[in-house]
Amino acid sequence: MANGTFDGVTSNSSIAVRVVWSSQAKTQQNSSIVTASVQLYKNASYSSRTYGTGTWTLQIGSSAASAQTSVNLYSGAGWVTVVTHQATIAHQANGTCSVSIAASGGISGTSLSSLSCQRTVTLDAIPRASTLCFAKESVNAGEELSFSITRAD
C-alpha cells in the first residue's frame, strides 16, 4: 500500500495546505484505487480566523471531484479536510504506475482566495504473470519436452 503527504502553497502565508493520499493495489485488474484528501491548517502564531464556504477541486489522474465546503480555520483547529476523492487508476502492462494528484480552490473574498498543490506520485508496482515458453510447437508421445519460464518484470 503506497501512501504519502505533500505540501502546496496558499494565498495566505498563515495557512498551510497538504494532500494526504493512499493507494490499494488490485492485482487481478492491474490497477489501484487511489484515495486523496485536501487539508488546511492555520498556523498557531496567527490569532485571526479565516472562514467561509470555499470551492475545492481535487484531481487524481483524469478523474476530478469538486466540493463546496464551509471551513472555519483558527489556531488550534488542527488539520481540516475540505475535499476527498477516490479514483481507480490503471497500471502499465508491466505493473508500474505513476499518477498526478492536483488540488486547487479557495474562499472568495477572503485572504484564502487560492491554493495550489500538485505532485506526481508512484504507486506500488503490481507483479505480472510469468510467461511459459515451449521449445517446440508440438511433440509426439514419448518425446522430450523443453520449456522455459520468462519471469514478469
Side-chain angles (χ1 to χ4, degrees), residues 28-123:
Q28 296 281 358
Q29 296 82 12
N30 195 32
S31 65
S32 288
I33 297 175
V34 179
T35 303
S37 296
V38 179
Q39 299 180 336
L40 301 173
Y41 179 85
K42 183 78 167 191
N43 189 308
S45 62
Y46 293 85
S47 59
S48 63
R49 291 176 182 258
T50 302
Y51 58 91
T53 300
T55 301
W56 319 97
T57 301
L58 179 55
Q59 185 161 344
I60 303 171
S62 61
S63 176
S66 292
Q68 286 196 325
T69 307
S70 179
V71 296
N72 184 11
L73 299 172
Y74 56 92
S75 175
W79 287 97
V80 177
T81 300
V82 294
V83 62
T84 299
H85 183 43
Q86 188 175 80
T88 299
I89 304 298
H91 286 233
Q92 300 294 323
N94 67 0
T96 62
C97 185
S98 294
V99 64
S100 174
I101 302 175
S104 61
I107 304 171
S108 182
T110 71
S111 60
L112 182 58
S113 58
S114 66
L115 65 82
S116 176
C117 197
Q118 189 277 333
R119 182 162 299 169
T120 298
V121 300
T122 301
L123 308 182

